[in-house]
Amino acid sequence: MDFLLLIGVIGSVSLDFLTNVFAYAGIQSPVVALLKGSILLLIVANYRTLYSWAITLAFAGIFFIREFLIATNSLESYLMDDAVFFSRIFFFIGWLLLFYERRNRKEFLNCVLYVVVATFILSVICQFAGYLLSLKFFKAYGEQRGGYKGLFFAENDTSVFYLFILIYAMYLWGVGRKILTFIALLGLFFLGLGSKTALLGALIVPIIYFYFTHNFSFPINIKKFSLRLRPLMYISIFLIIGIGVGYFLLFYIGSFLVAFNYDQLIRVYEQSGLLSSLLSFRDLKVALYFNNLNNLNDLIFGLQIKEKIKIFGLESPGTFMYEIDIFDYLGRVGLLGLMLTIMTICRCTGLRRWGSATPELKTLIFSIIILGLTVGHTLVSAMNGVWLGFWLILFSQLRYRRIEN
């Protein structure tokens, strides 16, 4: 059974690669999402407990109630687009429940970690190959913008995947593994990705992790610091390098932004202000959510985007995203689906006992919340669903594994 689930993980990653093939050929096909859903359903049939089936059927029920309300109100329906979008939410919930049922199988967790390492290595090869050979296949936004796609469909999703690895790497460092060089390389890799998710995550994840591993209270108790000479030396080196790089970027900030086509950030700031430039107009999308609320059903079960949103270009109503996790949930499965997600995460990871949760789990939860509110593409992502489910369960078990080590 564990082997079957491992095949499912590999199949999920492989289908993400297939998505890239379709996108490169100019085909936006729902086939990949349907194939991933079929793989997940086949595995579900082998693993489900009564609790897992209840959660799955509850989400499906919310979706069908929403579609029924749309049909009875004589509004234009986008059933296929809605089903594909709903699958992004279902992937995360499904994989989370599946990994939860296998949480005490250490050999299985190690097995999936091998998939993670293989994915990381292949992604690095893809990035360097794309850069050295100028392969357009690995460009996230074509000729006009750089960025990197790799095995995943979008650079934001790729960035989140590496942030999970960063948290686990810091854990390994904390238990005595000599991988500080690897952590530093990950930091450089985030700069290479260049997305807001990577840059923001590389900043907040280590800070959050450092906070929880030291259990600071306010005001900060200096006695709880336990820095030894060698870590202190490393930190000093990183600070010096960081100050130097920061000074360089600040000095050349104008030409730097223009050279890498980030001058649009300046234009957005001048036209719409600081919040829109930082959130890439997501604040305006949130305002659209509240404007589209017509009744209590819209709030509880989710609403239908009734017409094309001209301000955001060519996005169809069926695939429109707020790109802020909370509002994507509210828009598609409503307040009921959001509460069901929070309840499932708390049940599967033991977050109800916050005081006994591992620092890695706390760091991941806070990272998901912060990134989900600022850059989106965290919970609501067909690519991230499998990895989010795995890392949440793994990080909830690390205390047991730390004792073993």
Side-chain angles (χ1 to χ4, degrees):
M1 289 298 186
D2 286 344
F3 177 75
L4 177 63
L5 190 49
L6 178 62
I7 293 298
V9 175
I10 296 173
S12 177
V13 176
S14 300
L15 286 171
D16 290 335
F17 180 80
L18 186 60
T19 303
N20 274 356
V21 176
F22 279 121
Y24 184 63
I27 303 172
Q28 297 296 330
S29 173
V31 172
V32 174
L34 296 177
L35 283 173
K36 288 182 71 173
S38 299
I39 289 175
L40 184 58
L41 287 174
L42 288 174
I43 300 171
V44 161
N46 288 280
Y47 285 106
R48 289 289 154 166
T49 62
L50 180 61
Y51 173 78
S52 297
W53 275 114
I55 296 296
T56 302
L57 291 175
F59 269 98
I62 294 171
F63 173 76
F64 284 114
I65 289 173
R66 176 175 173 273
E67 294 301 323
F68 174 77
L69 292 172
I70 293 171
T72 54
N73 288 328
S74 300
L75 300 174
E76 189 173 0
S77 178
Y78 301 87
L79 181 60
M80 177 57 72
D81 285 338
D82 279 347
V84 172
F85 192 99
F86 171 75
S87 69
R88 299 178 182 180
I89 297 174
F90 178 66
F91 287 149
F92 164 62
I93 295 297
W95 286 110
L96 175 65
L97 291 169
L98 289 173
F99 287 126
Y100 174 62
E101 293 172 9
R102 314 305 294 169
R103 62 192 183 280
N104 293 323
R105 301 290 294 272
K106 181 181 177 181
E107 65 277 11
F108 166 70
L109 294 176
N110 287 335
C111 200
V112 180
L113 276 174
Y114 296 148
V115 178
V116 175
V117 172
T119 304
F120 173 74
I121 293 173
L122 287 172
S123 296
V124 171
I125 293 173
C126 286
Q127 182 171 8
F128 279 103
Y131 176 77
L132 294 175
L133 303 177
S134 299
L135 298 176
K136 298 177 183 178
F137 183 83
F138 300 109
K139 293 291 185 182
Y141 296 99
E143 294 282 354
Q144 300 302 316
R145 285 182 60 182
Y148 160 66
K149 242 178 357 182
L151 295 176
F152 298 89
F153 180 67
E155 59 181 342
N156 271 356
D157 301 84
T158 309
S159 302
V160 173
F161 170 73
Y162 289 122
L163 287 172
F164 302 157
I165 297 178
L166 178 59
I167 297 174
Y168 190 69
M170 289 189 294
Y171 157 74
L172 293 176
W173 184 32
V175 296
R177 305 289 176 85
K178 296 180 180 180
I179 59 169
L180 187 59
T181 302
F182 176 70
I183 295 175
L185 287 174
L186 270 177
L188 293 175
F189 203 71
F190 290 135
L191 295 176
L193 291 172
S195 71
K196 288 181 182 178
T197 308
L199 298 177
L200 180 62
L203 174 66
I204 66 170
V205 167
I207 293 175
I208 295 173
Y209 187 75
F210 188 67
Y211 177 88
F212 284 121
T213 52
H214 285 271
N215 294 319
F216 289 147
S217 58
F218 189 82
I220 294 175
N221 185 357
I222 302 299
K223 292 181 179 180
K224 290 190 176 181
F225 282 93
S226 58
L227 294 177
R228 298 179 180 176
L229 181 59
R230 182 174 295 179
L232 184 60
M233 180 183 67
Y234 286 140
I235 291 172
S236 300
I237 292 173
F238 284 138
L239 282 176
I240 293 171
I241 294 175
I243 292 172
V245 172
Y247 175 79
F248 174 81
L249 293 180
L250 185 63
F251 190 78
Y252 293 100
I253 190 68
S255 58
F256 178 81
L257 290 174
V258 173
F260 287 91
N261 292 311
Y262 284 110
D263 53 322
Q264 62 179 351
L265 201 62
I266 298 175
R267 292 197 301 271
V268 173
Y269 171 74
E270 293 174 346
Q271 296 172 5
S272 304
L274 179 63
L275 188 59
S276 290
S277 60
L278 292 177
L279 298 180
S280 301
F281 292 115
R282 290 180 178 89
D283 54 321
L284 301 183
K285 291 186 176 184
V286 170
L288 286 174
Y289 167 77
F290 290 105
N291 289 337
N292 278 297
L293 283 176
N294 291 327
N295 51 50
L296 190 60
N297 286 337
D298 286 345
L299 177 64
I300 295 176
F301 298 107
L303 52 83
Q304 170 73 3
I305 306 298
K306 300 175 182 63
E307 59 185 15
K308 290 186 178 181
I309 312 298
K310 295 180 181 179
I311 192 173
F312 299 112
L314 300 176
E315 292 180 277
S316 75
T319 58
F320 177 83
M321 289 184 67
Y322 296 97
E323 295 184 300
I324 292 181
D325 285 341
I326 289 178
F327 290 96
D328 278 320
Y329 262 85
L330 290 173
R332 297 298 173 155
V333 289
L335 185 61
L336 200 58
L338 178 62
M339 293 175 62
L340 193 60
T341 300
I342 294 172
M343 181 193 75
T344 306
I345 293 174
C346 290
R347 165 72 182 270
C348 292
T349 61
L351 274 180
R352 293 172 297 178
R353 302 179 297 277
W354 178 258
S356 61
T358 66
E360 294 76 23
L361 179 59
K362 293 178 180 178
T363 301
L364 181 59
I365 292 295
F366 269 79
S367 299
I368 289 172
I369 293 173
I370 294 174
L371 292 174
L373 288 173
T374 52
V375 297
H377 299 294
T378 307
L379 282 179
V380 185
S381 166
M383 282 68 77
N384 283 333
V386 55
W387 299 122
L388 261 174
F390 168 67
W391 290 108
L392 279 167
I393 299 305
L394 177 65
F395 291 161
S396 69
Q397 302 292 305
L398 281 181
R399 178 162 300 166
Y400 173 73
R401 293 165 65 83
R402 183 182 285 114
I403 292 173
E404 285 186 340
N405 291 328

